[in-house]
Amino acid sequence: MKKYRICFEIEGLSEDENGKPCPGGLCLTLGEDTDPEATPEECAELVDQISIEGVLKVAMLDGLYTPADCRLISLEEYDRTYGEGESTYGKL
């Protein structure tokens, strides 16, 4: 199996230093850490099939956020903005 990382930015998922809502990152990792990374082409194929409604449901965020609150972001943008492996809640 290949390892896929699919990353999102969700408006209002986090708070700034003043307690004001701001975007937060969500990264779903599919596969095992020991699996080879999927190629950018393989990731693009998977992303084309993703249902944001489904992702929100799996992450148990469907009652709090709508697909309009979410946007897919690149692995690079996620790592740069939210930091790889620094999840507060762990991997899904």
Side-chain angles (χ1 to χ4, degrees):
M1 180 173 186
K2 299 272 181 130
K3 178 176 144 183
Y4 294 85
R5 286 178 57 215
I6 310 300
C7 303
F8 300 86
E9 184 173 78
I10 302 175
E11 188 60 47
L13 185 64
S14 191
E15 293 181 346
D16 67 13
E17 60 276 354
N18 298 315
K20 189 174 180 183
C22 65
L26 172 69
C27 183
L28 301 176
T29 302
L30 307 170
E32 300 293 328
D33 286 337
T34 57
D35 292 336
E37 292 278 342
T39 65
E41 294 80 19
E42 291 169 325
C43 285
E45 287 177 25
L46 181 63
V47 165
D48 287 342
Q49 299 174 36
I50 288 179
S51 158
I52 292 181
E53 295 91 345
V55 170
L56 289 171
K57 187 172 183 173
V58 167
M60 295 181 278
L61 297 172
D62 54 328
L64 302 171
Y65 303 98
T66 68
D69 298 322
C70 306
R71 75 179 179 96
L72 284 163
I73 60 175
S74 69
L75 299 174
E76 294 80 16
E77 182 177 356
Y78 179 86
D79 290 345
R80 182 177 60 249
T81 306
Y82 301 106
E84 179 181 8
E86 295 180 12
S87 172
T88 304
Y89 301 104
K91 294 181 182 178
L92 295 177

